[in-house]
Amino acid sequence: MKHLLSIDDVSKDEALAILNLATEMREVNTREVRKLPALNGKVVANLFFEDSTRTRISFEIAAKRLSADVVNFTAKGSSVSKGESLKDTVLTLEAMGVDAFVVRHHHSGAPQKIAASNWSKATIINGGDGTHEHPTQALLDALTMRVRLKGASDSGDLAGVRVLIVGDILHSRVARSNALLLRKLGAIVAFAGPSTLLPRTATTLVDEVYFNLDEALENSFDVVMMLRVQSERMNSSFVPNSVEYTALFGLTDERFENLGGKALIMHPGPMNRGLEIASKVADSDSSAISEQVSNGVAVRMAVLYRLLAQESK
Ligand code: CP
């Protein structure tokens, strides 16, 4: 694999190989010296046209743990504000000798556009493009489920695991990448959300679709993944107001108590505490939200290793 643009391009075997390597990287990350020489001399550029905390910083830590040199480009404060195009930005960094670009962009398809162009010979990794995909988020979510549900030493898939993804599915690249990957790994995936925030393609993406969260939660899910309400990508007509959204689709204290501790609670972040998830739920023992972030470093180490250290093998 030269690029990581979409979960569609990742076979089940490749996904399992990344998860297995990420499990080894989790062990590396517990050592006193958390460093491998694998990417010595390589340059990884984080090319971020949209804000990020988790993805950008974990890619930076991951690349540094593999001994790569890392440069961070954010559109704010760059020559993009003077009108420089995506093409000229890539050409400029390419001329400085970049081996891999991690690209986050508000336009769906921007990483694919760079990979298909002749602007750069570098490896392109999708760090989240518009409402389309976020493949490394799906991989870190799958790793988190594997560790929490089946034990850290298990190198198998997620066959039969029931996962409910709740909320603003329409604008969520995380939901799309998760649905594609989890089903590839044998999980049964459901969406729940208001009809205005479910894509028309929902029934082709997942096994079950619910327009009522309470009805969905009666169906024994192993994982409940709450999504951020992406106010910046919607106008007010999608949901009446935040109070009604929480009442109908929030993981409130009451809904959480009814689950009886039987479901693993996940959220890709950043969270709107008190809107899609109650603060106490996010901080509970059932929550894997911090582990998702930690596993993000291990998964991104595994992805960088497979794409850059094994490129000539
Ligand atoms: N989950 C996620 O992509 O978070 P960031 O936007 O902080 O990178």
Side-chain angles (χ1 to χ4, degrees), residues 148 256 261 263-265 280-289 291:
R148 277 290 284 256
F256 177 64
L264 185 66
I265 307 302
K280 268 200 273 182
V281 179
D283 297 333
S284 70
D285 288 343
S286 297
S287 165
I289 295 169
E291 287 150 69

Side-chain angles (χ1 to χ4, degrees), residues 51-56 104 127 134 137 173-174 268-270:
D51 294 344
S52 166
T53 298
R54 280 147 285 268
T55 309
R56 193 191 64 71
R104 170 165 290 194
H134 195 348
Q137 178 71 43
R173 55 198 178 207
V174 174

